[in-house]
Amino acid sequence: MTRPMPENPLGVALIGTGFMGKCHAMAWRTVAATFGGAHPRLEILCDTPESRAHAYAGQFGFARATADWHAAIADDAVDVVSITTPNGLHRPMAEAALRAGKHVWLEKPMALTLADAEAMAQLAAQNPDRVTILGYNYLRSPAFQAAVGLIRSGAIGTPHAFRGVYDEDYSADPTLPWSWRMTHKEGGLGALGDLGCHLVSQMVALMGDVTQVTAMTQISIPMRPAPDGDKPVENEDSALALVRFASGAQGSFATSRVARGRKCRLQWEVHGSGGTITFDQENMNALWLHRAGEAGFTRHLTGPDQPDYAAFCPAPGHNFGFNEQKVIEARDLISAIAGGPSCGPDFAAGLKIERVIHAMATSNGRPVEL
């Protein structure tokens, strides 16, 4: 599908220079070369201290630098604000950008609390001419997009069940220092907010809306070392859930930030009346498909026959990567600004994801209706 692209350059402000800030910067620099349209104007890079902002502005290619995010958002040369800051700043920055008439590209999770997410979605609804998009980049994988297409085309019949896990081990070491990520006030949810929301975004795209969850959470390492003595971990290290979808299908869900040996095991399978599809982000360039009557699974490598792959490479099997997904995300954002279809998740769709993960966080073994 050909999407419209901006004819005039969009002015960009990027807030944050960490892992995801750099991903956004690379996407902004690459999107027009990959998909066409006017090259964005990289106007302002914001971070603290200001010396850091200036250093990365030169590296990332931004014209100016500041430590004042209010000024960056209010700048008349800025049309779009990329927000890649710690979770506690998501709501105030996103709301300030919308009130200033800017489009917003916000990293997940959407907010610290469900109340925050609801307020953000309400404000976005009051500004329908402003495009919002959340950083669920795994939805942009060509293999994942192909899987969605196969399910919708009836390739595996009627979907009956979903099984998914998202495991990493970045917090498995008990000597890892305590940080803001492990608090409700600044981090919000734990594994559910950092990892599980990605799995929910894919689960909903594959299976439709969730109507019920029954979940348990666990803090595996309750205390972490800090310079002034050990401090408690407040949010979950892992979560397990049973899920019911609006279609009547069932699902299972698991996520952990303390799963030894797992690096990016975003793995799922969908069982249908006529077959099964399975995928693992640690092997993101292969999609496995079984149809009834076949002896086993067929491996489908990423290639130009899958959505968006050909824009990066004309040859199959040459592999796709994490950062390419962010370039597609940037394309989806600016295409929507240019009048194209919304590919989301926007703040309204993001609120649905937040409702699922917060229901899991509060379930404590009891069914929660959504």
Side-chain angles (χ1 to χ4, degrees):
M1 178 178 67
T2 301
R3 292 182 171 87
M5 298 295 282
E7 296 181 0
N8 299 312
L10 293 167
V12 177
L14 170 58
I15 309 176
T17 59
F19 171 32
M20 296 314 301
K22 187 174 184 178
C23 288
H24 278 232
M26 290 190 292
W28 282 121
R29 290 181 64 86
T30 307
V31 62
T34 306
F35 292 107
H39 286 266
R41 290 180 286 103
L42 306 186
E43 290 287 345
I44 307 175
L45 183 65
C46 180
D47 206 344
T48 56
E50 191 162 334
S51 59
R52 179 180 177 90
H54 280 284
Y56 278 97
Q59 179 178 332
F60 292 172
F62 280 78
R64 292 173 284 153
T66 183
D68 184 348
W69 64 265
H70 297 279
I73 287 172
D75 195 285
D76 289 339
V78 170
D79 302 300
V80 186
V81 181
S82 276
I83 302 170
T84 69
T85 59
N87 304 344
L89 292 169
H90 286 189
R91 179 182 177 182
M93 289 182 174
E95 290 188 340
L98 286 170
R99 291 191 175 104
K102 316 297 185 182
H103 307 285
V104 180
W105 185 6
L106 175 65
E107 274 307 309
K108 42 59 63 185
M110 188 170 168
L112 287 177
T113 68
L114 184 56
D116 284 344
E118 289 171 342
M120 293 162 68
Q122 182 177 19
L123 183 60
Q126 293 168 359
N127 293 271
D129 58 335
R130 299 299 92 184
V131 175
T132 60
I133 192 169
L134 292 159
Y136 287 104
N137 52 294
Y138 298 125
L139 296 173
R140 270 70 190 183
S141 160
F144 180 79
Q145 294 186 67
V148 172
L150 285 167
I151 290 173
R152 290 177 179 172
S153 71
I156 62 167
T158 301
H160 291 321
F162 172 90
R163 292 181 183 173
V165 299
Y166 191 179
D167 293 336
E168 295 204 17
D169 68 355
Y170 59 81
S171 293
D173 183 353
T175 66
L176 181 77
W178 178 93
S179 78
W180 61 267
R181 291 184 179 277
M182 299 165 184
T183 69
H184 291 305
K185 183 178 180 180
E186 296 185 65
L189 298 179
L192 284 166
D194 197 22
L195 304 176
C197 60
H198 272 301
L199 180 57
V200 171
S201 75
Q202 295 206 334
M203 183 171 73
V204 170
L206 293 164
M207 302 293 293
D209 288 346
V210 174
T211 57
Q212 185 188 81
V213 300
T214 305
M216 296 186 297
T217 63
Q218 178 173 274
I219 299 175
S220 303
I221 304 172
M223 303 293 291
R224 293 279 184 177
D228 54 347
D230 289 357
K231 291 187 177 182
V233 174
E234 298 174 359
N235 51 29
E236 73 286 345
D237 287 322
S238 62
L240 301 171
L242 299 177
V243 179
R244 181 68 68 182
F245 298 96
S247 66
Q250 62 183 5
S252 65
F253 168 104
T255 188
S256 175
R257 63 187 181 190
V258 294
R260 290 282 190 181
R262 297 300 184 183
K263 303 304 176 187
C264 190
R265 187 198 181 198
L266 177 54
Q267 184 182 62
W268 52 260
E269 55 185 39
V270 176
H271 304 163
S273 59
T276 295
I277 296 178
T278 183
F279 175 79
D280 187 342
Q281 181 70 21
E282 286 188 346
N283 186 22
M284 67 176 292
N285 285 284
L287 181 68
W288 294 84
L289 173 64
H290 168 79
R291 289 185 170 96
E294 297 176 346
F297 284 80
T298 301
R299 182 178 67 157
H300 296 257
L301 290 177
T302 51
D305 60 323
Q306 293 180 343
D308 292 323
Y309 179 99
F312 297 89
C313 180
H318 281 52
N319 290 349
F320 198 82
F322 179 88
N323 287 301
E324 282 82 355
Q325 295 173 130
K326 299 305 288 187
V327 178
I328 298 172
E329 201 166 83
R331 186 279 313 272
D332 288 348
L333 168 62
I334 65 176
S335 176
I337 293 171
S342 174
C343 296
D346 60 9
F347 282 8
L351 177 57
K352 290 185 177 183
I353 296 171
E354 294 289 323
R355 284 177 173 150
V356 173
I357 61 174
H358 283 276
M360 290 178 180
T362 58
S363 167
N364 196 27
R366 297 184 298 271
V368 178
E369 303 291 334
L370 286 93

